[in-house]
Amino acid sequence: MRYISTISALVLSATLAVAQISPAPGQPESLFNPDFALVRSKIASALTSTGTCKFAPGGGSCPQNAPCCSGAGYCGSDPAFCADNCQAAGSFAADSCWPLPMAVNLDDQFKDKSRMVHIKDFNGFPTTADWVVDRSPGTQEHAVITDDDKLVLKLNRVEKHPETGGGIGATVHSSRWMKYGTIEARIKTASSMPGTVSSFIMISPISGDEIDFEIVGKDPSDVQTNFYYRVQPGNKVDYSHGVHINVNLDTSLDYHTYRLDWTPTEMKWWFDGELKRTTLASEVVGSYPDTPMRIAFGIWDGGHGSKGTAEWAGENTSYEPNDTREYQLSIDWVKITPMTPENATDPWPGTKYIKQMKNGQNNGNSNGGIGNGGGTNGGGPIIGGDGGWMGGDNAARGLQSARSVVVGSAVALATVLATVLLA
């Protein structure tokens, strides 16, 4: 018996040693990028337990003159409520929500600064902008198109992130969605120091599907490829699909080309024209991303995230001296090639929905567009008609739920390992 215990102890010791030197798993941006987490937490709580819109005037589902339940649980009639994250279950009718605006072929060299807008200024129509800067706390601009035609995303701690205490970065997403196709971009990452996270991804805040390129400052030569299926706050996350690719160079020193092919049967990740990874749908049945997603670039502070995230990205992101250091993710160009480009003769979202918008209201405010208000609990008016996105009341809860999943999964794994080895 003592001999068996000794062998078990040796095996356990070796297993733990391997675990310590193995790369930490990638992190789903929808849960751990703090600004994505805000959106996901709102969507998760947009409906009541009975399936009605959370802040509908008078309770219940949305009224006919404000028919769409936004992803934040408010009623309205313009794109802030009816597109993207609209909740059909809480809306006036099953077809109140607008169809998603699907991708067209785009070869963007960032010659036109007007094609990128902040979410608070976006009117919801993809013909007016190609890129949308997501909610970013603080007063500083963290995403800009420069005079030399580069899209630059900035991470600094001139102001501290209100939910993490770390730096504030930026996420920029496409105004259109894509179901299958190719995305390619020439990027110089910002991952020059531990804690910084640079990403080029496809992601759905609705379904939780996600396909990633991520590079963290802990090792800027490690190009991490990953995908997630149906990630939802509070649910267990499958971390088994990550593959680390050592490209033998520092990705923060120069521009390199990243390409991702996504079809109904396979995903391919390319780096500087060389195929690095292929995953077949038949190999991951039940875990293969298959819902429309938006294209996004991101830079965020993983070093001040939860314990698991900080270990993955590199702990305690440095902003020395005296919080003046800034990290920049630079994109030279991007190409989006959908498998089936949008070619509708009736301009999006269609005559029916345009009429619905013109005749409708946003909780009492006629077609306010996308502003920077947040609405009031109990079904009051939305200030500026932003669908309730700009408030931050649920962000901490979303982040906490995600962290609980990681901690719970780690404890469960340790328990199983100990039981098997020491039985």
Side-chain angles (χ1 to χ4, degrees), residues 117-384:
V117 298
H118 194 281
I119 191 169
K120 71 179 185 297
D121 302 316
F122 183 43
N123 65 11
F125 290 90
T127 51
T128 63
D130 297 314
W131 302 100
V132 180
V133 182
D134 275 315
R135 168 261 192 186
S136 184
T139 61
Q140 305 293 312
E141 288 289 342
H142 289 266
V144 297
I145 294 177
T146 63
D147 290 339
D148 61 345
D149 305 328
K150 301 289 190 293
L151 171 58
V152 176
L153 278 59
K154 305 175 182 180
L155 170 66
N156 59 52
R157 201 161 63 166
V158 174
E159 300 170 294
K160 291 184 178 180
H161 199 288
E163 282 111 41
T164 69
I168 296 176
T171 302
V172 175
H173 71 255
S174 59
S175 61
R176 295 178 179 269
W177 298 64
M178 186 174 77
K179 185 173 183 180
Y180 306 128
T182 295
I183 62 173
E184 185 175 15
R186 188 167 181 262
I187 301 169
K188 181 163 66 174
T189 76
S191 300
S192 58
M193 294 286 287
T196 55
V197 182
S198 304
S199 61
F200 176 42
I201 67 177
M202 290 188 281
I203 187 169
S204 169
I206 304 172
S207 70
D209 282 355
E210 185 176 333
I211 310 174
D212 295 348
F213 274 114
E214 290 177 312
I215 298 93
V216 299
K218 188 176 182 178
D219 183 357
S221 68
D222 179 17
V223 175
Q224 301 183 29
T225 64
N226 215 333
F227 65 92
Y228 301 93
Y229 177 77
R230 304 294 195 271
V231 173
Q232 298 293 336
N235 292 347
K236 185 178 179 179
V237 178
D238 184 353
Y239 288 102
S240 66
H241 302 306
V243 172
H244 294 249
I245 299 167
N246 183 2
V247 296
N248 297 309
L249 52 83
D250 186 338
T251 58
S252 70
L253 296 181
D254 204 350
Y255 287 91
H256 298 278
T257 303
Y258 301 78
R259 171 180 159 187
L260 199 152
D261 300 336
W262 174 43
T263 75
T265 58
E266 64 182 7
M267 293 177 286
K268 293 183 176 181
W269 288 259
W270 304 71
F271 179 81
D272 278 346
E274 183 178 341
L275 179 61
K276 295 294 186 179
R277 176 186 179 184
T278 300
T279 296
L280 302 179
S282 59
E283 297 172 338
V284 289
V285 176
S287 299
Y288 192 80
D290 59 2
T291 59
M293 291 185 273
R294 293 188 297 213
I295 294 85
F297 299 97
I299 178 173
W300 52 286
D301 184 349
H304 285 86
S306 64
K307 185 175 186 297
T309 301
E311 290 176 349
W312 164 67
E315 298 180 85
N316 300 319
T317 311
S318 173
Y319 296 95
E320 295 299 329
N322 301 318
D323 282 342
T324 60
R325 180 192 294 268
E326 180 173 88
Y327 303 93
Q328 294 189 354
L329 171 69
S330 299
I331 300 98
D332 186 24
W333 51 258
V334 59
K335 296 178 182 178
I336 300 173
T337 310
M339 179 176 287
T340 307
E342 172 64 56
N343 60 357
T345 55
D346 190 12
W348 183 87
T351 304
K352 166 188 171 181
Y353 295 102
I354 294 296
K355 182 178 179 181
Q356 173 182 291
M357 180 183 74
K358 290 180 178 179
N359 294 335
Q361 297 179 328
N362 297 332
N363 274 7
N365 290 335
S366 297
N367 303 322
I370 301 178
N372 60 358
T376 60
N377 291 346
I382 299 295
I383 310 292

Side-chain angles (χ1 to χ4, degrees), residues 50-80:
T50 58
T52 58
C53 198
K54 188 170 184 179
F55 301 122
S61 295
C62 292
Q64 187 172 7
N65 67 345
C68 302
C69 180
S70 78
Y74 296 90
C75 297
S77 64
D78 73 18

